[in-house]
Amino acid sequence: MKRHTILIVITLILAGMLSCSSGDTATVTIDTGIRKQAQLTVWDKVLAWITLSQPVKADPVPILLDLITSIEVTISASDMGTIKEAIPLETGRITLEVPAGSQRTFEVVATTPDYPRFYGGIATVDLSAGQQVALNIEMGELVNIYSWVYNNDNQNIEIDILSSSNVNGFKIYLENNGQRVLIDTITNFPPPDPLYQNYYQFDYPDFDADNPDPYFISGINEYGEGEQIPYPQI
């Protein structure tokens, strides 16, 4: 009888351990859509053109697909440690165990030889313990800044971007001892001139023109944040 009781206790303990180990995470499969695009054959594309159909449905993917050298996903939330994982290029997808909770942000960034943050996608979801989630992240071109300067006479920041990416705003950072701190996010600014679609400017009288070197600026849109660009060294 005593032995039988011990076996029951051990069984309950093991069941509790298994429950704890699997019950506080969710299984998330992230798909960037790149895999589906890569699998399209020449015949698939010809057939789609002839029949005016799309043989394989996928999220938008980079036009310069062959130039992508790496894809990384960063998962973050206020109550968990940041997770960073490389997504295999040959599949464009990855399955991860993510701590359950609310407001889990998944940021995917694709890199090319010229642009550390060329394409991206971002999604924020709530995860329940034990949940299995298929997360299709739509990717698009991030805002890549070509150059920026501060016009001391007009007290504004002038920015040239590299493409016609949609621009939702700009982030301003200050670097101190190798650490960059976000000090401002600009989302209210005039639209670019129709003749200069890649040129943006906005008033920023708080800029320290006597010490511009610590400043970095990045562009943001619905796909995430582009590369942080330092003040130009003249």
Side-chain angles (χ1 to χ4, degrees), residues 31-40 89-93:
D31 195 336
T32 64
I34 288 179
R35 172 183 59 83
K36 297 174 184 177
Q37 177 71 13
Q39 287 178 341
L40 289 180
L89 286 174
E90 60 271 18
T91 63
R93 61 186 298 173

Side-chain angles (χ1 to χ4, degrees), residues 41-99:
T41 65
V42 173
W43 171 245
D44 288 327
K45 295 174 181 178
V46 171
L47 182 63
W49 180 76
I50 293 174
T51 62
L52 300 178
S53 66
Q54 178 62 46
V56 177
K57 293 182 180 180
D59 292 331
V61 295
I63 297 174
L64 303 177
L65 181 64
D66 293 339
L67 295 181
I68 292 178
T69 55
S70 67
I71 308 174
E72 184 179 70
V73 59
T74 300
I75 307 168
S76 61
S78 60
D79 60 347
M80 59 169 275
T82 299
I83 300 172
K84 288 182 180 286
E85 291 287 345
I87 298 178
L89 286 174
E90 60 271 18
T91 63
R93 61 186 298 173
I94 191 172
T95 299
L96 299 170
E97 293 294 320
V98 180

Side-chain angles (χ1 to χ4, degrees), residues 15 19-20 31-33 37 62 70 79 102 118 125 135 166 198 208:
S19 175
C20 290
D31 195 336
T32 64
Q37 177 71 13
S70 67
D79 60 347
S102 61
F118 177 64
V125 297
L135 186 60
N166 184 43
N198 294 351
D208 186 356

Side-chain angles (χ1 to χ4, degrees), residues 87-231:
I87 298 178
L89 286 174
E90 60 271 18
T91 63
R93 61 186 298 173
I94 191 172
T95 299
L96 299 170
E97 293 294 320
V98 180
S102 61
Q103 296 294 292
R104 271 52 183 145
T105 297
F106 295 75
E107 183 184 23
V108 175
V109 172
T111 298
T112 72
D114 295 324
Y115 304 110
R117 300 177 68 88
F118 177 64
Y119 253 69
I122 192 167
T124 300
V125 297
D126 297 336
L127 299 176
S128 301
Q131 186 179 13
Q132 294 191 0
V133 178
L135 186 60
N136 296 315
I137 295 184
E138 181 180 345
M139 297 185 70
E141 189 172 352
L142 297 172
V143 180
N144 283 289
I145 295 175
Y146 175 69
S147 66
W148 68 274
V149 296
Y150 181 73
N151 187 323
N152 198 36
D153 293 333
N154 297 329
Q155 292 190 321
N156 64 9
I157 291 176
E158 302 172 359
I159 300 174
D160 283 324
I161 64 172
L162 287 167
S163 67
S164 57
S165 301
N166 184 43
V167 179
N168 293 344
F170 298 95
K171 290 187 175 182
I172 302 176
Y173 295 84
L174 272 181
E175 185 173 78
N176 185 22
N177 295 325
Q179 298 293 322
R180 293 178 199 168
V181 177
L182 178 65
I183 61 169
D184 212 342
T185 299
I186 307 298
T187 56
N188 186 17
F189 48 87
D193 188 301
L195 297 178
Y196 302 97
Q197 289 290 329
N198 294 351
Y199 174 78
Y200 291 80
Q201 59 180 330
F202 52 86
D203 294 335
Y204 202 74
D206 294 335
F207 190 88
D208 186 356
D210 294 328
N211 186 30
D213 290 346
Y215 285 90
F216 287 73
I217 293 182
S218 65
I220 53 177
N221 62 11
E222 65 270 33
Y223 300 113
E225 181 179 2
E227 183 71 5
Q228 298 169 14
I229 304 300
Y231 189 82

